Amino acid sequence: MSVPCVCVAREAGEAARQELAAAELVDDAHRIEHADGRLYIPVVDPDAVPEGYEVVDRDAPVRETQTMPADLVDFEPSYERIGEVAIIDEDDPDRARALADAIVDSALPVHTVLNRASKVKGDLRVRDWEVLASPDEAEAAPTEAVHREYGCEYAVDLAEVYFSPRLATERHRVAEQVSAGEHAFDMFAGVGPFVIPFAERGAEAVGVDLNARAIEYLRANAERNDVADRVTAIEGDVRDVAGEYENWADRIVMNLPHSAGEFLDTAVALAGDEAVLHYYDIQHEDDPFGPGERAIRAAAEPEYEVTVETRHTVRSYAPHELNVVLDVRLTRR
Ligand code: SAM
């Protein structure tokens, strides 16, 4: 049967699929197909497809229905996937057990289920996990996974480093602004989900993290994605490292919501004559952008002219609290 499909070059396929999936436009009843270097992604509503995409009619094969976790439990299941690991957040042990069994028994390519056992803690932003399912013969720790995001791969150990798949769209939004040759500095780099795509786009990228294991993973991920020649990974407190990179950066990422404000003097020291700062914050919904903007102005003015280019809500964080980002251009006067 002929169905509307978005038709894109194969190399742009994953980004297009993720954008269409985020807008809930992918038609799961039909299969995505490759042909002649193009990817055909069936969509449920051709009129809602964002501008710039080509939509064609095509005989897309019907997808065989597969058993999903929702088919196996009597509640609406919620889980995230990081490679072959599923993450759940269930306080009730019976519900946690039922959901873990459903995930493993479903058609999802998942072998490990982890339940959140604490909030993210301390400077390193790592949490504890309860292992509800893992393969018997596994050599790696059950908390180790390889996550794929917009064409890049990240190895992580969730028990040792911070990583959240929820920020994929946001990271991609920022990466799309990066040009070849620019100097990009991630002050809180983790395993590299900003640094690696920046380097993929030809930037010279520096990532700093206090967590020694995160830096080991960042180096390994740079190799894994074939961008090690454009990535410098430094273990340490970014306040101690920044001296080597004063006036260097064209782009600075500050993804340490809750405490990024304490590092703004360091960010200003890193900035070159013109730099874009991506400043992540968690604030009350009544004034989500005001505190960040005021703090940035206090740190950068009058040395720099401060222009807020984007005020964007990344996601809801807690009742009445938003995770937001400000893209701010600093231009030396
Ligand atoms: N940017 C990464 C991402 O999106 O996955 C990681 C963000 S995570 C919220 C914050 C990171 O900042 C953690 O990996 C933590 O270890 C690191 N960190 C905290 N304080 C730091 C400091 N003073 N200097 C450098 N890194 C720091």
Side-chain angles (χ1 to χ4, degrees):
M1 191 184 117
S2 182
V3 294
C5 294
V6 164
C7 169
V8 286
R10 195 175 173 141
E11 50 281 10
E14 179 56 14
R17 190 195 65 74
Q18 293 208 23
E19 185 178 355
L20 295 167
E24 300 195 351
L25 284 171
V26 176
D27 169 6
D28 291 326
H30 293 87
R31 282 218 312 265
I32 297 174
E33 284 193 306
H34 289 126
D36 306 327
R38 316 278 292 167
L39 196 72
Y40 294 87
I41 307 170
V43 288
V44 287
D45 180 0
D47 296 333
V49 168
E51 258 177 55
Y53 285 119
E54 182 187 356
V55 181
V56 297
D57 282 327
R58 183 178 169 84
D59 272 337
V62 174
R63 185 195 282 274
E64 285 167 28
T65 50
Q66 295 182 315
T67 306
M68 297 304 280
D71 302 322
L72 301 173
V73 287
D74 57 5
F75 53 89
E76 186 58 45
S78 171
Y79 54 88
E80 288 173 79
R81 280 185 48 202
I82 298 186
E84 291 171 327
V85 175
I87 293 171
I88 66 173
D89 189 7
E90 293 290 346
D91 292 334
D92 176 332
D94 293 337
R95 230 174 107 112
R97 183 73 269 150
L99 180 50
D101 291 345
I103 289 171
V104 172
D105 292 344
S106 75
L108 292 175
V110 165
H111 55 53
T112 298
V113 182
L114 305 177
N115 195 12
R116 291 191 171 97
S118 76
K119 291 185 180 298
V120 288
K121 296 180 290 187
D123 286 345
L124 305 190
R125 314 307 294 148
V126 178
R127 70 169 89 237
D128 299 330
W129 299 98
E130 176 191 11
V131 180
L132 290 171
S134 66
D136 296 338
E137 74 287 2
E139 283 171 22
T143 45
E144 260 195 296
V146 176
H147 181 69
R148 289 168 193 82
E149 179 175 302
Y150 286 96
C152 297
E153 281 191 3
Y154 305 103
V156 298
D157 186 333
L158 296 165
E160 295 194 293
V161 300
Y162 172 92
F163 187 79
S164 171
R166 289 186 193 169
L167 301 179
T169 310
E170 169 56 21
R171 292 191 276 252
H172 184 61
R173 185 191 71 82
V174 174
E176 280 192 306
Q177 300 173 33
V178 171
S179 320
E182 73 170 48
H183 289 176
F185 196 107
D186 187 346
M187 293 173 66
F188 312 105
V191 302
F194 285 100
V195 166
I196 306 283
F198 289 2
E200 284 266 353
R201 285 173 179 263
E204 195 180 321
V206 175
V208 179
D209 205 290
L210 205 51
N211 183 344
R213 289 292 284 148
I215 290 299
E216 283 172 29
Y217 275 107
L218 171 49
R219 289 200 182 111
N221 287 331
E223 297 280 352
R224 181 184 272 274
N225 291 281
D226 220 8
V227 292
D229 56 333
R230 291 192 294 284
V231 169
T232 304
I234 304 173
E235 177 198 336
D237 186 319
V238 68
R239 289 168 291 207
D240 302 331
V241 170
E244 293 167 49
Y245 288 90
E246 268 181 28
N247 299 318
W248 181 85
D250 304 314
R251 185 177 306 281
I252 300 164
V253 178
M254 299 184 76
N255 182 19
L256 186 65
H258 293 301
S259 22
E262 296 162 26
F263 294 82
L264 276 167
D265 290 343
T266 304
V268 172
L270 290 167
D273 289 344
E274 176 116 6
V276 175
L277 183 63
H278 304 281
Y279 180 88
Y280 292 86
D281 205 358
I282 289 173
Q283 292 291 345
H284 195 273
E285 63 190 4
D286 287 349
D287 184 18
F289 302 106
E293 180 172 344
R294 287 190 287 278
I296 294 166
R297 288 190 185 283
E301 290 176 339
E303 185 186 355
Y304 285 92
E305 187 182 330
V306 172
T307 312
V308 179
E309 296 191 332
T310 311
R311 295 177 180 84
H312 174 62
T313 300
V314 179
R315 62 186 171 124
S316 161
Y317 180 75
H320 309 294
E321 280 195 290
L322 300 176
N323 182 188
V324 297
V325 59
L326 291 155
D327 294 348
V328 178
R329 185 170 295 277
L330 305 180
T331 311
R332 203 186 297 276
R333 290 187 206 266

